[in-house]
Amino acid sequence: MPETSYLYLDISRLIARAGHVVPTGIDRVEFEYADYLLRHDARRVTFVAISPLGQIVLLPFAEAEQFIRLTEQVWRGQHDLCRDVRRAARLMVGRAMLRRGQTPKVAGTYRQAIYLLLSHHHLNRPGSIVRFLRQHAARFVPMVHDLIPIEFPEYARPREPARHEARMNTVLELARGVIVPSRVVEESLLRYARHKRTNLPIRVVPHGVLDAPPVPAGGVVCSHPYFVCLGTIEPRKNHLLLLNLWRDMVENAGDAPVPHLVLVGRRGWENENIVDMIERCPSLQGIVRECNSQSDPEVTALLRGARGLLFPSFSEGYGLPLSEALKLDVPCVCSDIEVFHEVAGKAATFIDPLDGPGWRNAIEGLMTGSIDAHRPGDRVASAALFPWPQQVRDGLAFLEEK
């Protein structure tokens, strides 16, 4: 009998976001585990997803593989495939619902079976998870990305704190172990669990970074100096700080040139004030622009051409944009929060997210002299920059301890 586990890898998050051209960090994690297993260990994985009826169903392997590859192509810029990937997702789940979904015979030749859920997608549906675990004699290992809705409810939708508590309670009740992306999240989960479960095995596996994709022909980089802010446009990301700084720079610049600001990310929730400034503030027109449908190569090109990445979030569970920018040797200015120190080490400039003058000084500093003089260079050695295959291997190795 092999000394490894048979895996039921849940790709519900990717299916729910089928056809979105820009992946979130959680999308990326789910994809990277699926991609690694397809490339290196496909014989021991069955892809699964939750159906509209609340059942976790076994997906036809060939169709799941095709869906994952279509998703990859969309993220790389083939946006004409968006309709195809949505249709593939719909047909795949539909066919899975019609099948009996019996446990694969090969699963019985492995030491154990693990149900691996790498998103928070349906953690608030413990009944569905319990039924699946019983049906396939599997153990449950989820990934917890953060506890932000519980710790900082002011940054969440009104009902989200209660929903996230339900998700974390499912983890504490059912999980045989938990993967987290940072020590910060580990500490948060241990605090939450201290009166409910004291023996929960947790493994910190930082997210990986991509090998830089080739820059698209023609590129998307403007000739004017610019900075990039990468992330969903929502209050927690603190875009208002940057927009107010940029308005002040424009209004008081006189004849001096003002760098542009490029906001890369989809619009999130309760962002009316942010959107109003972007769309209606006269001083920002032509200076601040949104890019919410960029492919991976286009985002890479933007980062490479920028004077720096600006990341003023109030709270994060990890912060993939920071590690991705450091991988490209891009100067980074980020919030002085614990998790960013964990990710960046000595390779970034840290400023309190409420310190407007400090951010202004850092931005102006990056505008002086050659950009090469500001690059992290050797300081990146202190940052947590690991390739995705290594991180997936570390996560999968943790499963064998269950």
Side-chain angles (χ1 to χ4, degrees):
M1 181 178 293
E3 291 300 315
T4 52
S5 303
Y6 193 80
L7 302 179
Y8 296 100
L9 178 58
D10 198 301
I11 57 171
S12 297
R13 169 83 178 198
L14 290 176
I15 291 170
R17 287 183 46 79
H20 284 70
V21 299
V22 180
T24 66
I26 298 177
D27 300 344
R28 177 71 66 191
V29 173
E30 196 167 281
F31 170 83
E32 291 296 336
Y33 273 75
D35 177 67
Y36 180 89
L37 287 167
L38 283 172
R39 294 180 186 277
H40 302 286
D41 223 352
R43 57 187 170 78
R44 70 171 179 126
V45 62
T46 290
F47 297 103
V48 305
I50 196 162
S51 76
L53 298 180
Q55 297 175 308
I56 299 173
V57 295
L58 309 184
L59 301 172
F61 185 88
E63 293 184 41
E65 182 176 23
Q66 179 191 33
F67 165 75
I68 290 163
R69 293 301 168 221
L70 283 171
T71 297
E72 180 180 30
Q73 291 170 18
V74 168
W75 291 355
R76 288 183 174 178
Q78 297 185 42
H79 298 171
D80 58 317
L81 296 177
C82 287
R83 182 178 298 178
D84 293 337
V85 76
R86 286 191 290 266
R87 183 174 182 272
R90 186 169 58 251
L91 291 176
M92 175 175 61
V93 174
R95 289 194 181 99
M97 292 171 64
L98 295 175
R99 300 170 66 187
R100 297 183 63 183
Q102 294 181 337
T103 301
K105 290 182 180 180
V106 68
T109 67
Y110 285 79
R111 181 172 62 88
Q112 63 180 355
I114 298 286
Y115 169 51
L116 183 58
L117 179 62
L118 298 167
S119 73
H120 300 161
H121 188 272
H122 45 271
L123 280 174
N124 56 346
R125 305 185 75 166
S128 299
I129 296 173
V130 167
R131 286 192 295 273
F132 183 86
L133 297 178
R134 288 175 178 169
Q135 181 180 0
H136 300 286
R139 300 179 176 187
F140 180 43
V141 177
M143 178 178 286
V144 170
H145 293 266
D146 61 65
L147 281 81
I148 291 171
I150 298 172
E151 297 178 316
F152 302 98
E154 65 272 25
Y155 299 136
R157 294 179 176 89
R159 297 181 182 179
E160 192 63 15
R163 289 174 178 164
H164 209 62
E165 286 196 20
R167 296 181 188 112
M168 295 304 101
N169 290 340
T170 298
V171 170
L172 299 185
E173 291 168 9
L174 301 179
R176 297 296 293 263
V178 181
I179 302 171
V180 297
S182 64
R183 291 191 301 273
V184 168
V185 178
E186 178 187 32
E187 292 165 2
S188 294
L189 185 57
L190 287 172
R191 282 196 301 271
Y192 184 81
R194 66 183 182 274
H195 299 307
K196 302 178 181 181
R197 182 176 174 182
T198 58
N199 63 341
L200 180 63
I202 302 175
R203 175 65 55 84
V204 177
V205 181
H207 295 329
V209 292
L210 292 171
D211 287 331
V215 176
V220 292
V221 183
C222 62
S223 58
H224 199 284
Y226 66 92
F227 290 83
V228 170
C229 178
L230 179 56
T232 304
I233 298 176
E234 60 182 51
R236 177 171 60 90
K237 302 292 187 177
N238 201 18
H239 290 81
L240 278 177
L241 170 83
L242 299 180
L243 295 177
N244 280 303
L245 284 176
W246 247 262
R247 177 172 60 183
D248 184 68
M249 284 193 289
V250 171
E251 293 176 352
N252 294 285
D255 296 330
V258 175
H260 289 190
L261 175 62
V262 181
L263 306 179
V264 181
R266 63 184 178 87
R267 294 184 179 184
W269 71 286
E270 290 196 4
N271 55 20
E272 292 83 358
N273 291 343
I274 305 169
V275 173
D276 284 345
M277 283 198 71
I278 294 170
E279 294 182 347
R280 297 166 52 191
C281 178
S283 300
L284 301 183
Q285 303 311 301
I287 302 294
V288 175
R289 64 185 177 99
E290 289 182 89
C291 293
N292 52 21
S293 61
Q294 309 306 112
S295 66
D296 285 347
E298 289 171 335
V299 172
T300 296
L302 276 170
L303 285 171
R304 279 178 165 157
R307 299 294 296 192
L309 173 79
L310 306 178
F311 203 173
S313 287
F314 290 112
S315 180
E316 294 284 345
Y318 187 76
L320 263 177
L322 181 56
S323 59
E324 289 171 347
L326 291 173
K327 170 73 172 178
L328 297 171
D329 204 22
V330 175
C332 296
V333 184
C334 60
S335 295
D336 189 6
I337 57 178
E338 186 177 354
V339 72
F340 285 171
H341 284 274
E342 183 177 341
V343 172
K346 299 177 181 179
T349 299
F350 301 95
I351 304 174
D352 188 286
L354 295 176
D355 182 6
W359 282 86
R360 174 79 175 261
N361 290 337
I363 292 165
E364 292 176 346
L366 287 175
M367 286 296 294
T368 62
S370 167
I371 187 61
D372 290 335
H374 301 288
R375 296 193 185 281
D378 293 340
R379 289 178 295 162
V380 172
S382 65
L385 304 181
F386 306 103
W388 268 114
Q390 175 183 329
Q391 298 313 96
V392 174
R393 285 195 298 269
D394 288 350
L396 295 179
F398 174 61
L399 305 184
E400 302 311 317
E401 302 173 13
K402 304 300 112 224

